Amino acid sequence: MYKKTNRRDFLKTAVIGNVAALMSGELFSAPIVNQKIRLGFIGTGLRGQWVLSMVAKYPEVKIPAICDIDESMAASALKILKDAGKTEPRVYKNGDEDFRHMVANEDLDGVYIATPWEWHHPMAIAAMKNGKHVGTEVPAALTVKDCWDLVKTSENTGFHCMIMENVCYRRDVMAVLNMVRQGLFGELLHCQGGYQHDLRNVKFNDGNQPYGGGVEFGVKGYSESKWRTQHSVDRNGDLYPTHGLGPINTMLNINRGNRMVHLTSTATQSRGLHNYIKKKGGADHPNAKVNFKLGDIVTTVIKCANGQTIVLSHDTNSPRPYSLNFRVQGTKGLWMVDNQSIYLEGRSPHEHRWESDEMYLKQYDHPLWKRFQDQAAGSGHGGMDFFIVRAFVESLKRSISPPLDVYDAASMSVVSPLSEKSIRLGSTAVKIPDFTWGRWQTNKPIFGLDDDL
Amino acid sequence: MYKKTNRRDFLKTAVIGNVAALMSGELFSAPIVNQKIRLGFIGTGLRGQWVLSMVAKYPEVKIPAICDIDESMAASALKILKDAGKTEPRVYKNGDEDFRHMVANEDLDGVYIATPWEWHHPMAIAAMKNGKHVGTEVPAALTVKDCWDLVKTSENTGFHCMIMENVCYRRDVMAVLNMVRQGLFGELLHCQGGYQHDLRNVKFNDGNQPYGGGVEFGVKGYSESKWRTQHSVDRNGDLYPTHGLGPINTMLNINRGNRMVHLTSTATQSRGLHNYIKKKGGADHPNAKVNFKLGDIVTTVIKCANGQTIVLSHDTNSPRPYSLNFRVQGTKGLWMVDNQSIYLEGRSPHEHRWESDEMYLKQYDHPLWKRFQDQAAGSGHGGMDFFIVRAFVESLKRSISPPLDVYDAASMSVVSPLSEKSIRLGSTAVKIPDFTWGRWQTNKPIFGLDDDL
């Protein structure tokens, strides 16, 4: 945890003009409107290309530069822009560090980052230090120190760092957020989320296609298996907490009236990845000798300052149906995603009996979804991507703080390294830093307040 | 954790004839058959009466004595026995300690205990020390020391202490146990269980009826509210872990090839009981001033020696549908009770899609259920009670160790005090004692092996 002196040190070095705003909690609210924006892309793999194709639909967005060291991925990105009628951007592709030239040389309002996890932090830092706002894919950083670094760099430079956690905009969880805010669940007590997704054919492929067909990863892999799988070799913890945690954070007002105080993590034995290699590649395949550190299922329990608990599951190595494991429970009732059911005392027709959540999700459909449902319908991941991309673009256009900001980026992402630490120490409880320097006590919610952002 | 010297101390004081059997792990397997048995009942409240009515159906069981300090409850018990054509038993009712006279004076094979939780341990100890086998309702003890005391007393006296955890016999979980043993889930990774049961109208009533109608408890309450509610005032932890844990223990071979190594617990704020009193009794009711220590939802995560994790929920103060929260997950698939669904890789018709568990529960119906379904059908709690009562009676008749023994009693019950300790220490990880003195490594499973017990 940071000592008060650190805050003083920070304030001393902060951009002088920002100090008053900082003290009043209104940093990043400058009312400058910038109708046309210039956006750079770092990372044009499959995810980057997808977001690029969505951004390319905005006539007010110029994309002067992209950066990727994989020529074929960069070529695909150029085609997307060409097909969308955009001017051909400069391409930065000369090695791992060429992104630094892009953020230093280009005149950009913002930079979107969709690179391997370990690059998000250095790229975000470089962008902010060069006067660019950032939108980064999840997680934003991999260590406690790097999470702090994002926060301090954002505060010192005055540039935003948005975490592109699209699940915050999923239609069902936004409807439930709406219900939470209207008090249907009473005072929240307990939430669950997680990433329960069989990624075995993402972590392994044949080196030519993104999903399956072989048991290669690393240099012999393709797309995510090139880099993502190595995290399962090296790390045991909740490697990917933000999809489950993001929506819960908005419901529990984390960093804005509430905060996460401590966590414990416990991992099962590691079986799934090794078994998959043996089954698909044979016991003699060289990868059958790889020792995967990641337990197949990691359970993390978080305690909040206002009393609530959050249970997160990380479950990516085993055969199972996809589920983000959502459960939202308060003093008046609860919603569970796995049985698509809800129970509200005094409202549900039968005492102590689940009812389908269908009518509630319709009735409490979030204003944002009501407004944009036609545009969102065709976009990725059930429409979520439309909203997260729009929020990033709109925040840049208006020069306002994004609805998922650097404090969200840090507090969601820090769960991974702390979870690793807890497991390493036999599930011991680990304190979660307060990245808001105490301002969580007076901060107000910013996400999904109306039909705007 | 116990030091080795304790074991040596224990062996020195153990009944000499039992030592060889103990060392070979075969204590309690003496092949003495006792066709007629005499059973004493301590506690003839609502639960005791129910079990009494089931036991009274066994012509080979005599009930020479019952014990209850509540005259009306004892009278109801006498009526049950009379209606069943049993000889009228002696009644021990002279104060809290009169049970000691019963176990000292009566010639009994076994004693069944269904009293307030805090009495289970002293009554079980007294019974065993007076040469009676024990069947105790859950939990068997409330402190780590008392859990050890049960184990040591059972080992020293050679008398059994069965934990009457009826959910181990629930039809669906026994079918799933059957599936686990047939390898359908592969190697188990992660299990969930819990006690999610809105007990507000059990914890409070009007002093005349067992369920609701008022907000009284303690001396002004009736039935369970007389004593159970005080635990919610005094304690913060998983107060009632065994319904969720029992079935998981049999699936994970706890104490028999596996053991629980450590746990963490995290509790939410406490709201439900206070809110209920205010709503039903008004803000001026004296009980509205009571400070309940129990968090509304307590989440406990247990780590096992073979790597698996167990998540337990304790959730008794809030409006919600009843659910024991079961989930059983292995390397090949998983079952979840809340959506009544299963997914097994290579067997479920659609990849990564749940299917109904209905056909599986039928196909893998446990041999015990197949054999006794007609008799079980009319008994309590969906038939579970038939099996747990039969297991107790049959174990006594055959003078064999029961299928849920003193090690199960101790290891399931100890979760409560350890959970309290973990919460008290900020969710720190707490070690779980090995009540088998290392014998878990060679012990073989004993529960539900066939259609016998």
Side-chain angles (χ1 to χ4, degrees), chain A residues 187 200 267 271 303 345, chain B residues 187 200 267 271 303 345:
Chain A
E187 179 182 349
R200 291 174 302 165
R271 294 287 185 270
K303 173 75 176 172
E345 187 176 39
Chain B
E187 179 182 349
R200 292 173 302 165
R271 294 288 185 270
K303 173 75 177 173
E345 187 176 41

Side-chain angles (χ1 to χ4, degrees), chain A residues 187-190 192 196 198 200-201 262 264-272 275-276 279 296-297 299 301-303 306-309 311 313 315 318-323 325 327 329-334 336 338-339 342-345 352-354 425-429, chain B residues 187-190 192 196 198 200-201 262 264-272 275-276 279 296-297 299 301-303 306-309 311 313 315 318-323 325 327 329-334 336 338-339 342-345 352-354 425-429:
Chain A
E187 179 182 349
L188 288 193
L189 295 166
H190 176 76
Q192 296 185 185
Q196 302 180 139
D198 179 359
R200 291 174 302 165
N201 75 349
H262 63 70
T264 66
S265 283
T266 312
T268 69
Q269 69 270 46
S270 176
R271 294 287 185 270
N275 287 351
Y276 186 86
K279 188 176 161 192
D296 285 346
I297 299 171
T299 304
V301 185
I302 299 170
K303 173 75 176 172
N306 293 346
Q308 297 89 355
T309 50
V311 173
S313 284
D315 175 359
S318 308
R320 62 159 299 134
Y322 178 88
S323 163
N325 195 36
R327 167 171 158 188
Q329 185 167 5
T331 54
K332 293 183 178 172
L334 74 165
M336 261 187 78
D338 277 326
N339 56 359
I342 194 166
Y343 176 73
L344 296 175
E345 187 176 39
H352 297 138
R353 281 257 301 279
W354 291 112
L425 300 175
S427 299
T428 197
Chain B
E187 179 182 349
L188 288 192
L189 295 166
H190 177 76
Q192 296 186 184
Q196 302 180 140
D198 179 359
R200 292 173 302 165
N201 75 348
H262 64 70
T264 67
S265 282
T266 313
T268 69
Q269 70 270 45
S270 175
R271 294 288 185 270
N275 287 351
Y276 185 86
K279 187 176 164 192
D296 286 346
I297 300 171
T299 304
V301 185
I302 299 169
K303 173 75 177 173
N306 293 345
Q308 297 89 356
T309 51
V311 173
S313 284
D315 175 358
S318 308
R320 61 158 300 135
Y322 177 89
S323 163
N325 196 36
R327 166 169 156 189
Q329 184 166 6
T331 52
K332 293 183 179 173
L334 75 166
M336 262 187 78
D338 277 327
N339 57 0
I342 195 166
Y343 176 72
L344 295 176
E345 187 176 41
H352 298 137
R353 281 257 300 281
W354 291 110
L425 299 176
S427 298
T428 196

Side-chain angles (χ1 to χ4, degrees), chain B residues 379-416:
Chain B
S379 78
H381 291 107
M384 308 186 297
D385 286 341
F386 167 82
F387 291 98
I388 192 83
V389 167
R390 181 180 169 276
F392 182 52
V393 168
E394 284 297 319
S395 302
L396 287 172
K397 281 167 63 181
R398 306 179 200 176
S399 281
I400 58 169
S401 178
L404 297 164
D405 65 8
V406 73
Y407 306 102
D408 299 312
S411 63
M412 283 186 212
S413 303
V414 82
V415 166
S416 287

Side-chain angles (χ1 to χ4, degrees), chain A residues 77 87 114-115 121-122 144 208 217 228 233 244 319 352 370 413 436 443:
Chain A
T87 313
T115 49
H121 160 263
V144 180
N208 298 307
F217 72 98
R228 186 173 187 159
V233 177
H352 297 138
K370 280 188 185 157
S413 303
T436 73
N443 283 347

